[in-house]
Amino acid sequence: MGVLTSIKNKFVRVPPDYAQLSARLGTLAPFDAARARIFRYRKQYGVNLGSMFCLEPWIATRIYEEYATHNPEAEGDLVECMGQCSAEKMQAHWDSWLQRADFERMASMGINSVRLPVGYWILGYGFVAEKYYSRAQTYNRALYYVGRIISWAAEFDIGVLVDIHALPGGQNNDSHSGATGPARLFESRNHQDMAIKCIDAFAYLLAQVTNIVGLQVINEPQDHPKLEAFYEHALKQVRAQSPTLPVYVGDAWNLDKYAYIVKRLRRRFGFVVLDTHKYWVFRPEEKQYPVKRLIKELQEIDMPELLHASAELEGNLVIGEYSSILPDISCQGTNPTVSMGEFSREQLYVYNSTTAGTFYWTWRLQNDAGFWSMQFAINVGAMPSEYFPFGWSFSVEPSCEVIVRMAEERRSEWREKRLQGHMNYVARWEGDFGFGHYVAGFDEGLTVALEFFSRLKFPSKLGFGHQLASEYAIAFVFLHGGNQWQWEYVDGFREANDEFSDFVHHII
């Protein structure tokens, strides 16, 4: 990806059953490395597509209604209840849950990424365990619908983060992990081996898809002693398929611990991102404070924690799930919609100030009559109706082309101003400095910022800035030497992006 596309692995392993998986996924647009770089490295303003492929009974209520007396929870329970009708009924669900119009609406409001939860079992025969084994034929058409989602998203320049939401045996005690009852993933070598096999298959399928943001290898795992080793194994497997596909991992509800772990993993495996989830509705009763106090806590406790984790990770941190929902008691004596709207806007400010992206849970409910539905929350005013970077909208003046031209006209002026500031900054120390590296980084960084802003249907803002700057810096010093000044290249690259962002915010 990015500047390292020439290093693409030409000898990717292709087991025989992978060819069949590719055929079921369908034909997607040819890979475009330049566009893929924007999808993968930009700031993500996103939403989850919950219960499209990994069903939960409180979201996709209709498909569960017929089997209410059996009380199925995990999707495996549901398809077991369906019996011989499971393939037909699941396909009807996949065909109707989301439509092209959903992506058109997302794009119209500036949502540029979706997180797509999937169960490992959608790969079908050869990749299933437990209850899903006897119903593998149910999922013969599942990958076709995954491909349809990816294609619809691509049509509107929306990126897709494929999240393996459920792994064999279950990685937590919740039914959305695909199993009912205690988590058993780490209690079985067979389950772990199957999980790695599925991760490998997804990496093979997705690595060369332009609008794939990344692959999340696990969702909300328990903080198990074997989790770190599992991450290392999963990352090795993905890197065997692709040296550059961004890989997302969960923080197991322990942000500080896994920020440190992922910091170490990034040194070996490159573009790795930590996913943390933020839900305020599930707080213990004694901490269900009024909205004003929750906002104060968000600003004074959560924001510093996120800033610290983001600094450890050099910005490779996202909020993979959050919501506008608050406990009833927190909104007591107020208009709940107004209170949740106030809190949501403060959440977005904090999260967008400290991370590379956010994903609301979730895009829709069966009848979209609750705040868990982003569409409902937007319609009633509890969530903003636009998410474009820079405060941009389709009616804004001047146009993107004019803004890019204006920025190019100021390139020399900005470069000299920032270089002088850099020189003043390092003057406090003795030694040699690579001002040429700084200038090269600045020029490349500004070129990248302009490309992100103007290449797709609506502007993008660099999100994983340090990650991309570091990759460019490595390539630059490989060609020109001066490894000791690599940090100056990175500084120049990032300061160019800051200069352009300040400029756009000023004129829009």
Side-chain angles (χ1 to χ4, degrees), residues 421-437:
H422 176 72
M423 294 171 69
N424 293 340
Y425 173 72
V426 301
R428 70 190 74 181
W429 301 304
E430 294 182 0
D432 295 328
F433 295 97
F435 298 137
H437 285 58

Side-chain angles (χ1 to χ4, degrees), residues 434-446:
F435 298 137
H437 285 58
Y438 179 90
V439 168
F442 185 93
D443 278 332
E444 194 64 63
L446 183 56

Side-chain angles (χ1 to χ4, degrees), residues 199-480:
I199 288 167
D200 185 70
F202 278 114
Y204 169 78
L205 290 172
L206 303 172
Q208 296 293 305
V209 180
T210 300
N211 66 317
I212 287 295
V213 166
L215 174 63
Q216 181 156 353
V217 298
I218 197 169
N219 172 70
E220 295 183 355
Q222 288 184 336
D223 189 4
H224 195 279
K226 295 180 181 178
L227 182 59
E228 184 177 354
F230 178 81
Y231 281 166
E232 184 168 339
H233 194 177
L235 285 162
K236 285 179 180 177
Q237 207 71 25
V238 175
R239 288 290 169 256
Q241 292 290 354
S242 167
T244 55
L245 179 67
V247 182
Y248 289 61
V249 300
D251 72 348
W253 306 104
N254 194 335
L255 179 58
D256 285 345
K257 175 180 176 179
Y258 282 88
Y260 180 71
I261 288 172
V262 173
K263 178 181 180 179
R264 295 201 310 268
L265 292 172
R266 288 182 63 237
R267 296 188 189 119
R268 297 176 55 198
F269 299 106
F271 199 166
V272 183
V273 181
L274 184 62
D275 168 34
T276 190
H277 296 173
K278 294 291 183 180
Y279 288 121
W280 294 73
V281 68
F282 299 128
R283 292 163 66 85
E285 188 173 346
E286 66 272 13
K287 291 188 176 182
Q288 294 180 2
Y289 306 129
V291 170
K292 296 295 184 185
R293 183 169 174 183
L294 292 181
I295 290 175
K296 184 177 175 66
E297 185 175 321
L298 177 66
Q299 296 167 336
E300 296 181 358
I301 298 177
D302 272 52
M303 190 169 190
E305 288 178 350
L306 289 168
L307 282 169
H308 174 74
S310 187
E312 283 285 295
L313 296 161
E314 296 179 315
N316 284 18
L317 176 68
V318 299
I319 309 291
E321 295 181 18
Y322 76 101
S323 173
S324 64
I325 298 215
L326 294 174
D328 291 341
I329 195 170
S330 296
C331 302
Q332 201 168 46
T334 72
N335 180 322
T337 300
V338 172
S339 293
M340 285 190 271
E342 181 183 5
F343 186 76
S344 293
R345 285 163 175 79
E346 192 60 37
Q347 274 192 110
L348 283 170
Y349 170 75
V350 168
Y351 300 160
N352 285 327
S353 298
T354 56
T355 75
T358 57
F359 296 84
Y360 192 92
W361 185 273
T362 180
W363 176 243
R364 66 161 301 194
L365 302 177
Q366 188 75 65
N367 298 307
D368 286 321
F371 290 97
W372 287 106
S373 163
M374 188 180 198
Q375 295 183 84
F376 177 87
I378 290 170
N379 291 342
V380 300
M383 285 291 291
S385 58
E386 289 196 343
Y387 297 84
F388 297 103
F390 309 106
W392 186 88
S393 69
F394 284 106
S395 60
V396 76
E397 294 291 343
S399 67
C400 290
E401 292 76 12
V402 171
I403 291 172
V404 168
R405 187 170 67 249
M406 293 168 68
E408 282 289 7
E409 291 169 353
R410 291 161 173 77
R411 180 186 286 265
S412 295
E413 172 193 339
W414 290 348
R415 183 199 304 122
E416 291 306 312
K417 179 185 73 174
R418 290 284 184 160
L419 175 59
Q420 188 60 54
H422 176 72
M423 294 171 69
N424 293 340
Y425 173 72
V426 301
R428 70 190 74 181
W429 301 304
E430 294 182 0
D432 295 328
F433 295 97
F435 298 137
H437 285 58
Y438 179 90
V439 168
F442 185 93
D443 278 332
E444 194 64 63
L446 183 56
T447 298
V448 167
L450 299 183
E451 182 185 21
F452 273 51
F453 187 76
S454 61
R455 178 144 189 169
L456 302 184
K457 289 184 173 69
F458 48 88
S460 297
K461 184 176 186 178
L462 190 58
F464 296 96
H466 196 283
Q467 178 73 42
L468 187 57
S470 296
E471 292 176 14
Y472 270 97
I474 290 168
F476 183 83
V477 300
F478 178 80
L479 293 174
H480 303 284

Side-chain angles (χ1 to χ4, degrees), residues 27 50-51 53 73 81 83 108 110 116 137 149 172 174 192 203 216 225 246 303 314 328 351 357 360 380 395 397 425:
T27 302
S51 278
F53 294 108
E73 295 184 30
C81 291
S108 73
L116 180 63
Q137 83 286 350
I149 292 293
N172 59 48
D174 296 313
Q192 293 168 58
Q216 181 156 353
M303 190 169 190
E314 296 179 315
D328 291 341
Y351 300 160
Y360 192 92
V380 300
S395 60
E397 294 291 343
Y425 173 72

